[in-house]
Amino acid sequence: MSQTESALYKDLLDLCNGIYSSGDNGINSVNIRKDIKGIADFAKDNRLDHYLAVKCDRSLTESEEWKVTGGSIVEEYNGYKQKILSGLNKIKQALGNESFMVIKTFSCYPHITSDLDVLVQDTRTKEKSQKIIEELCKNEPEGIEIDINHEISWSGANAVSKKFTWDNTQEIEFEGLRIPVPNAQLDTIIRIGHMAFELAQIRLGELLHMFRQSETFEWSIIEEESRRMKWPKTFKRLENILDRMHMILFNEAFLNKRPSQKEAYGITEFPYQLPYSFLALAVIEKRAWNKVYGGRYIIKDRILRWLRNTH
C-alpha cells in the first residue's frame, strides 16, 4: 500500500469506530482491496463514501475513483442536504398539521439515500398529500424523490404494527428544521425488516449504526414486536447473523449472546448478501408472496456486482 492508500484505509477504520465500537474493542481490519479503487468501491457499497469524504482530508478523495456526476463527492453530499431540506419543507406544506415521520433516511453519521421515505397515519392522508407533493415537485425535476406510505410494509410483508410505530417516535434537528423520526428501537426493527424483506443485504455502515442504536434499548422489545407481527423466526435468524458479525468485527458477541456459527456461515465481506435460503424462508414465514416476483431484481443486482468485481 502507498502512503496515501494507508492513510485512507486508516481513516476508513477510524470513522467506522467513530460510529460504533464495542467497549475498548474497535474494528481492526475489514476484508477489502487496500488500493484507492478498492477502498472507494467498498465505501460506496457500504454507504460510507460521503462520511469518509466529509470527515477526512479532501485530497484523499479527489482522485478519479471518487468522481461523481457534477463535481466532487463532498459537493454531492452538500447538494443532497439541500434536496432533503427542500423535500422536508414540501412535506410540511402538503401535510399541514397531519402527523408524519421520516424513516430510513437519517443515521448517526452522514450519508445519502435515493429517496425521502415518509410515513403518515392513514391511506386518506397518503393519497391527499401525494397529489400535493407531486404538484409542488413539478418545478423541481432535480429534487429528491419523496415516497409516502401509511404502513411499514414491503410488498405485503407488514413488519411493524401501527401502534408500535406511532408509540416510538422522537424529534431530531436537521439543518435547523425539527423532524419527527423513529426512536432507536423502532429504527432498528424497521432496518431489520427492510434487510430481510427488501434490501437482501447488510451494509457495514448501516450495521454499525444498528449496533450503536441497540445500546440504548432492551432488545426483547423489538423481538416481541416481531412475534406479534408473525415473523419471529426471520428476526431470530437475522439476530444470529448480527451476533456472528459482531464477533468477527469486534471479537465479542452481540448483546452478550453466544453467536450461531451456522447462521453466519460464509460471512467474509461487506455488503453481506443474505443467502437465498434466508430470503425464501422469510417470504414463507410472512406469507409475502409478492416478494417472490420481486426476487428477480435481487438476482440481477448480484450478477451485476459479480461482473463488476471480476473486471
Side-chain angles (χ1 to χ4, degrees), residues 49-55 58 61-62 66-83 112:
D49 49 339
H50 295 87
Y51 181 36
L52 186 59
V54 167
K55 294 293 185 181
R58 282 190 63 174
T61 53
E62 292 292 334
W66 294 86
K67 294 290 184 184
V68 295
T69 303
S72 75
I73 192 169
V74 174
E75 291 168 342
E76 182 183 52
Y77 178 67
N78 290 334
Y80 166 80
K81 288 195 296 183
Q82 292 308 308
K83 288 180 181 179
I112 71 171

Coordinates of all heavy atoms in Angstrom, one line a residue, residues 49-55 58 61-62 66-83 112:
D49 N -19.1 6.3 1.8 CA -18.3 7.2 1.0 C -18.4 8.7 1.3 O -17.4 9.4 1.4 CB -18.5 6.9 -0.5 CG -20.0 6.9 -0.9 OD1 -20.9 6.7 0.0 OD2 -20.3 7.1 -2.0
H50 N -19.6 9.1 1.5 CA -19.8 10.6 1.8 C -19.3 10.9 3.2 O -18.7 12.0 3.5 CB -21.3 11.0 1.7 CG -21.7 10.8 0.3 ND1 -22.2 9.7 -0.3 CD2 -21.7 11.7 -0.8 CE1 -22.5 9.9 -1.5 NE2 -22.2 11.1 -1.9
Y51 N -19.5 10.0 4.2 CA -18.9 10.1 5.5 C -17.4 10.3 5.5 O -16.8 11.2 6.1 CB -19.3 8.9 6.3 CG -18.9 8.9 7.8 CD1 -18.9 10.0 8.6 CD2 -18.6 7.7 8.4 CE1 -18.5 10.0 9.9 CE2 -18.2 7.6 9.7 CZ -18.2 8.8 10.5 OH -17.8 8.7 11.8
L52 N -16.8 9.4 4.7 CA -15.3 9.4 4.6 C -14.9 10.7 3.9 O -13.9 11.4 4.4 CB -14.9 8.2 3.8 CG -13.4 8.0 3.6 CD1 -12.7 7.8 5.0 CD2 -13.1 6.7 2.8
A53 N -15.6 11.1 2.9 CA -15.2 12.3 2.1 C -15.3 13.6 3.0 O -14.5 14.5 2.9 CB -15.9 12.4 0.8
V54 N -16.4 13.7 3.7 CA -16.7 14.8 4.5 C -15.7 15.0 5.7 O -15.3 16.1 6.0 CB -18.2 14.8 5.1 CG1 -18.4 15.8 6.1 CG2 -19.2 15.0 3.9
K55 N -15.4 13.8 6.3 CA -14.6 13.9 7.5 C -13.1 13.8 7.3 O -12.3 14.3 8.2 CB -15.0 12.7 8.4 CG -16.4 12.8 8.9 CD -16.6 13.9 9.9 CE -18.0 14.0 10.5 NZ -18.2 15.1 11.4
R58 N -9.6 16.1 2.3 CA -10.3 16.0 1.0 C -9.4 15.6 -0.2 O -9.8 15.0 -1.2 CB -10.9 17.4 0.6 CG -12.2 17.7 1.3 CD -12.8 19.0 0.8 NE -13.3 18.8 -0.6 CZ -14.0 19.7 -1.2 NH1 -14.4 20.8 -0.6 NH2 -14.3 19.5 -2.5
T61 N -9.7 12.0 -1.3 CA -10.9 11.6 -2.1 C -11.2 12.5 -3.3 O -12.3 12.7 -3.7 CB -12.2 11.6 -1.2 OG1 -12.3 12.9 -0.6 CG2 -12.1 10.6 -0.1
E62 N -10.1 13.0 -3.9 CA -10.2 13.8 -5.1 C -9.8 13.1 -6.3 O -9.8 13.6 -7.4 CB -9.4 15.1 -4.9 CG -9.9 16.1 -3.9 CD -11.2 16.7 -4.3 OE1 -11.5 16.8 -5.5 OE2 -12.0 17.1 -3.4
W66 N -13.1 8.5 -7.0 CA -14.2 9.1 -6.2 C -15.0 10.2 -6.9 O -15.9 10.8 -6.3 CB -13.5 9.8 -5.0 CG -12.8 8.9 -4.1 CD1 -11.5 8.4 -4.2 CD2 -13.4 8.3 -2.9 NE1 -11.3 7.5 -3.2 CE2 -12.4 7.4 -2.4 CE3 -14.6 8.3 -2.3 CZ2 -12.6 6.7 -1.2 CZ3 -14.8 7.6 -1.1 CH2 -13.8 6.8 -0.6
K67 N -14.8 10.3 -8.2 CA -15.6 11.3 -9.0 C -17.1 10.9 -9.0 O -17.4 9.7 -9.1 CB -15.0 11.3 -10.5 CG -13.6 11.9 -10.6 CD -13.5 13.4 -10.2 CE -12.1 13.9 -10.5 NZ -12.0 15.3 -10.1
V68 N -17.9 11.9 -9.0 CA -19.3 11.8 -9.2 C -19.8 12.8 -10.2 O -19.1 13.7 -10.5 CB -20.1 12.0 -7.8 CG1 -19.7 10.9 -6.8 CG2 -19.8 13.4 -7.3
T69 N -21.0 12.5 -10.7 CA -21.5 13.4 -11.7 C -21.8 14.8 -11.2 O -22.4 15.0 -10.1 CB -22.9 12.9 -12.3 OG1 -22.7 11.6 -12.8 CG2 -23.4 13.8 -13.4
G70 N -21.2 15.8 -11.8 CA -21.4 17.2 -11.4 C -20.5 17.8 -10.4 O -20.7 18.9 -9.9
G71 N -19.4 17.1 -10.0 CA -18.5 17.6 -9.1 C -17.9 16.6 -8.1 O -17.9 15.4 -8.4
S72 N -17.4 17.1 -7.0 CA -16.8 16.2 -6.0 C -17.8 15.5 -5.2 O -19.0 15.9 -5.1 CB -15.8 17.0 -5.1 OG -16.6 17.8 -4.2
I73 N -17.4 14.5 -4.5 CA -18.3 13.7 -3.6 C -18.8 14.6 -2.4 O -19.9 14.4 -1.9 CB -17.6 12.4 -3.1 CG1 -18.7 11.5 -2.5 CG2 -16.5 12.7 -2.2 CD1 -18.2 10.1 -2.3
V74 N -18.0 15.5 -2.0 CA -18.4 16.4 -0.9 C -19.5 17.4 -1.4 O -20.5 17.6 -0.7 CB -17.2 17.2 -0.4 CG1 -17.6 18.3 0.7 CG2 -16.1 16.3 0.3
E75 N -19.3 17.9 -2.6 CA -20.3 18.8 -3.2 C -21.6 18.0 -3.4 O -22.7 18.5 -3.2 CB -19.8 19.3 -4.6 CG -18.7 20.3 -4.4 CD -18.0 20.6 -5.7 OE1 -18.2 19.9 -6.7 OE2 -17.3 21.7 -5.8
E76 N -21.5 16.7 -3.8 CA -22.7 15.9 -3.9 C -23.5 15.8 -2.6 O -24.7 15.9 -2.6 CB -22.3 14.5 -4.4 CG -23.6 13.6 -4.7 CD -23.2 12.2 -5.1 OE1 -22.4 11.5 -4.4 OE2 -23.8 11.7 -6.1
Y77 N -22.7 15.6 -1.5 CA -23.4 15.4 -0.2 C -24.0 16.8 0.2 O -25.2 16.8 0.7 CB -22.4 15.0 0.9 CG -23.0 14.9 2.2 CD1 -24.0 14.0 2.5 CD2 -22.7 15.9 3.2 CE1 -24.6 13.9 3.8 CE2 -23.3 15.8 4.5 CZ -24.3 14.8 4.7 OH -24.9 14.8 6.0
N78 N -23.4 17.9 0.0 CA -23.9 19.2 0.3 C -25.2 19.5 -0.5 O -26.2 20.0 0.0 CB -22.9 20.3 0.1 CG -21.8 20.2 1.1 OD1 -22.0 19.7 2.2 ND2 -20.6 20.7 0.8
G79 N -25.2 19.1 -1.8 CA -26.4 19.2 -2.6 C -27.5 18.3 -2.1 O -28.7 18.7 -2.2
Y80 N -27.1 17.1 -1.7 CA -28.2 16.2 -1.2 C -28.8 16.8 0.1 O -30.1 16.7 0.2 CB -27.5 14.9 -0.8 CG -28.3 13.9 0.1 CD1 -29.3 13.1 -0.5 CD2 -28.1 13.9 1.4 CE1 -30.1 12.3 0.3 CE2 -28.9 13.0 2.2 CZ -29.8 12.2 1.6 OH -30.6 11.4 2.4
K81 N -28.1 17.4 0.9 CA -28.7 18.0 2.1 C -29.7 19.1 1.8 O -30.8 19.2 2.4 CB -27.6 18.6 3.0 CG -26.8 17.6 3.8 CD -26.0 18.2 4.9 CE -24.9 19.2 4.4 NZ -24.1 19.8 5.5
Q82 N -29.4 19.9 0.7 CA -30.3 20.9 0.3 C -31.6 20.3 -0.3 O -32.7 20.8 -0.1 CB -29.6 21.8 -0.7 CG -28.5 22.7 -0.1 CD -29.0 23.4 1.1 OE1 -30.0 24.1 1.1 NE2 -28.3 23.3 2.2
K83 N -31.4 19.2 -1.0 CA -32.6 18.5 -1.6 C -33.5 17.9 -0.5 O -34.7 17.9 -0.6 CB -32.1 17.3 -2.5 CG -31.5 17.8 -3.8 CD -31.1 16.7 -4.7 CE -30.4 17.1 -6.0 NZ -30.0 16.0 -6.9
I112 N -26.0 9.6 2.0 CA -27.1 10.0 1.2 C -28.0 8.8 0.9 O -27.6 7.6 1.1 CB -26.7 10.6 -0.1 CG1 -26.1 9.6 -1.1 CG2 -25.7 11.7 0.1 CD1 -25.9 10.1 -2.5

